[in-house]
Amino acid sequence: MLSLLVHLFLANYSAGGLTKGSMHMDDVLPFGQRPRPRRLWGPLRKLDHLHPFVNPSKSYAAPSKHNGFIYAKIYGGFEKIQSSICDLVAVARLLNATLVIPEIQATTRAKGISPKFKSFSYLYDEDHFIDALSNDVAIVRGLPKDLREARKKIKFPTVSPRNSATPEYYITQVLPRLVKSKVIGIIVNGGNCLQSILPTSLEEFQRLRCRVAFHALRLRPQIQALGSQIVGRLRASGRPYLAYHPGLLRDTLAFHGCAELFQDIHTELVQHRRNQMIKRGTVKEQLTVDSVSRKMAGLCPLMPEEVGLLLQALGYPPTTIIFLAGSETFGGQRMLIPLRAMFANLVDRTSLCSQKELSDLVGPEDPLASDLPQPPPPKSEKQLIEEWKRAGPRPRPLPPPPARPFYAHEKEGWYGWIGENDTEPDASPIEFRRQAHRLLWDALDYFVSVEADAFFPGFHNDGSGWPDYSSLIMGHRLYQKPYGITYRPDRLLLRCSKMLVIIGIIHHGIGQLLHVST
């Protein structure tokens, strides 16, 4: 009995007083103005004088000559597409070339998506992109007709730059081929086709990338309109809201070797993706690594329950409105159960938008045939009698028992192949369409996260390594809303000793553990 009482006391304490009683409607959605602690939500006045200066300097000369056309194909998620477009504009300026609007392969390869949008216009405003960069780079919507026909016949060379390629690579390797053929294609896999920090002599190109990211790349009006509606609904109660991106992505977990943080089939899925990265040369390490040591070194994302404890220690009440950003949370909704138990107002786009609003954002699409196995057509009584007569002499053996039924989740997504095959099957048309939809959801959540009063990332690179979703949001918030709260948790210090960290947070504050951009 004593052990049971101690266990209940600890569970009640760790859950932040969850068992004190059920929440009332006024606690979930309070009306009217509420106190807004400056320490949690930042100052109310804008700090316009801190806005970074990205305009070109006076010595920024226009391109002197035209060396040819550059067309590009980009593969990857939203964060990789966003960073790749910024790099491609800088490369086109570096080579004095005309840039053809990049193609986003996650949408062009998806058969049956809405014909209302082209590849680039699926996410961004094409007209604004061209107009905003008219003084920097010549941008066209497509190649001239004669060159377009030659491209279909594969008469132009293509290059696939490695991760963080240097400007010297483009000048020495790409520029001679561009001058010779007048057209060259660039295939970008995984983003980051140009090194993040350029030399001091190329400062203007760094400014150009900032102009592309924060001014030229504007989401199409439908995404901005729905994002503004979501922000209005989150603030309808008169309270601010916090945006949270878990960072639990399959590629991120595989790249950093965090497979053992999960169980059963999820570990196998992460290891399979890590094996693919090793074969492509993306990962230079062994397949199996100690995930616990990687987690203690701060290389793995913070788990939702850890984020919940940190937010409680920071002083956020259980009624805080938290917007869950991102189209993918590896492990599913069960990973968010501890965080939802601490903060009942954990919402996402599906709980704030109607199905019609999300469908209108996608646009009209043609129905696709399901890739699930279809049951055999029913047989008539006459066919059954004929089969019975042709079955052979009597007595007959008993028929085999009916096979176990296969459910939809065993044939779609992760669970359909991992138990039976060693190789991941090719994506079906339905999966390609879902990948295109994930780009829209990521873009929508990106807009809402940038406008949030506070943002907490479960994982971020801070500009090192591959581009990630949270780092893009943090950079955009620092540019657009420097007066807002943006947390940058130090995962290495937070995981040196979990119990000591919690005690230190409660008794000594968290100034040394969490860096806040204000």
Side-chain angles (χ1 to χ4, degrees), residues 169-283:
Y169 164 78
Y170 289 98
I171 294 175
T172 59
Q173 302 293 330
V174 180
L175 182 57
R177 304 176 67 180
L178 174 63
V179 173
K180 181 179 179 180
S181 62
K182 296 302 179 183
V183 178
I184 194 169
I186 299 180
I187 311 299
V188 183
N189 284 292
N192 223 15
C193 61
L194 183 64
Q195 65 184 37
S196 301
I197 302 177
L198 297 176
T200 309
S201 59
L202 299 177
E203 177 186 357
E204 295 300 334
F205 292 90
Q206 198 79 1
R207 292 172 179 248
L208 175 59
R209 289 202 291 193
C210 292
R211 288 198 297 277
V212 177
F214 304 136
H215 293 283
L217 282 179
R218 178 187 295 176
L219 298 174
R220 61 181 167 95
Q222 296 86 349
I223 299 178
Q224 294 190 63
L226 185 56
S228 299
Q229 292 181 16
I230 294 177
V231 173
R233 293 165 186 172
L234 287 169
R235 292 176 177 160
S237 61
R239 292 190 302 166
Y241 71 95
L242 180 143
Y244 162 61
H245 182 251
L248 295 175
L249 305 177
R250 185 180 173 191
D251 290 343
T252 301
L253 297 167
F255 182 81
H256 294 282
C258 307
E260 296 175 3
L261 303 182
F262 299 85
Q263 297 177 354
D264 304 331
I265 196 171
H266 294 90
T267 299
E268 298 182 30
L269 289 164
V270 174
Q271 288 294 84
H272 182 271
R273 181 59 57 86
R274 183 175 174 84
N275 189 31
Q276 290 179 328
M277 292 182 174
I278 292 175
K279 292 179 179 179
R280 291 197 301 261
T282 305
V283 176

Side-chain angles (χ1 to χ4, degrees), residues 257-261 289-298 300 495:
C258 307
E260 296 175 3
L261 303 182
V289 294
D290 187 359
S291 298
V292 177
S293 62
R294 293 296 180 95
K295 178 179 179 180
M296 299 301 293
C300 295
R495 279 172 168 167

Side-chain angles (χ1 to χ4, degrees), residues 378-504:
K379 298 180 180 179
S380 63
E381 183 178 358
K382 182 178 180 181
Q383 291 176 329
L384 293 175
I385 294 176
E386 292 295 331
E387 290 183 0
W388 177 263
K389 293 180 179 179
R390 296 194 304 267
R394 282 76 169 173
R396 298 169 184 153
L398 292 176
R404 182 181 69 87
F406 286 93
Y407 300 98
H409 71 273
E410 296 179 309
K411 291 297 181 183
E412 290 186 354
W414 299 340
Y415 298 91
W417 59 272
I418 193 69
E420 301 176 359
N421 303 320
D422 296 331
T423 59
E424 189 169 358
D426 296 333
S428 62
I430 293 181
E431 182 59 28
F432 277 129
R433 174 176 288 184
R434 289 173 182 161
Q435 291 177 9
H437 292 177
R438 292 188 195 109
L439 293 180
L440 291 178
W441 311 148
D442 281 335
L444 185 64
D445 293 352
Y446 182 87
F447 180 90
V448 179
S449 299
V450 171
E451 296 293 329
D453 300 277
F455 177 72
F456 196 102
F459 179 83
H460 66 286
N461 279 330
D462 266 345
S464 61
W466 298 86
D468 67 280
Y469 190 82
S470 294
S471 295
L472 289 182
I473 295 176
M474 294 161 71
H476 203 145
R477 286 177 59 84
L478 183 62
Y479 178 84
Q480 181 173 320
K481 300 185 65 172
Y483 52 88
I485 293 290
T486 300
Y487 292 98
R488 300 176 181 271
D490 192 330
R491 297 185 300 275
L492 176 60
L493 291 178
L494 288 172
R495 279 172 168 167
C496 288
S497 177
K498 186 179 293 185
M499 291 304 298
L500 290 178
V501 166
I502 295 176
I503 295 174

